[in-house]
Amino acid sequence: MKTEIVVYEDNDFLRQSIVELINEDQRFIITGDFTNCNQVLTQVKRLKPSVVLLDIGMPGVNGLE
């Protein structure tokens, strides 16, 4: 069973790089990647990931909120 991961990162290049790197390992799968945390509660409830990677310095709702 793969570990499901959701990524929140506003830098497109960095987010895509993280997704590609994680997807290289057969033990993990990215079930969602987003540019902001504005809908984080809804998205996490829907996707039910085992791990959430959050950028803490994003515009709008940040990873700490």
Side-chain angles (χ1 to χ4, degrees):
M1 182 173 203
K2 294 185 178 187
T3 301
E4 296 176 343
I5 301 171
V6 173
V7 178
Y8 289 88
E9 171 59 58
D10 60 327
N11 180 304
D12 289 334
F13 178 77
L14 181 56
R15 188 181 66 260
Q16 291 168 359
S17 297
I18 291 169
V19 168
E20 288 177 20
L21 181 65
I22 291 172
N23 278 334
E24 288 291 319
D25 191 318
Q26 297 300 312
R27 297 172 294 172
F28 307 111
I29 185 168
I30 300 293
T31 56
D33 64 282
F34 304 96
T35 59
N36 62 61
C37 290
N38 296 340
Q39 301 295 319
V40 66
L41 294 177
T42 303
Q43 292 160 338
V44 169
K45 284 180 185 177
R46 180 174 45 87
L47 297 170
K48 298 180 172 119
S50 300
V51 177
V52 177
L53 298 178
L54 289 165
D55 178 2
I56 61 172
M58 292 191 289
V61 178
N62 66 48
L64 292 176
E65 293 174 303

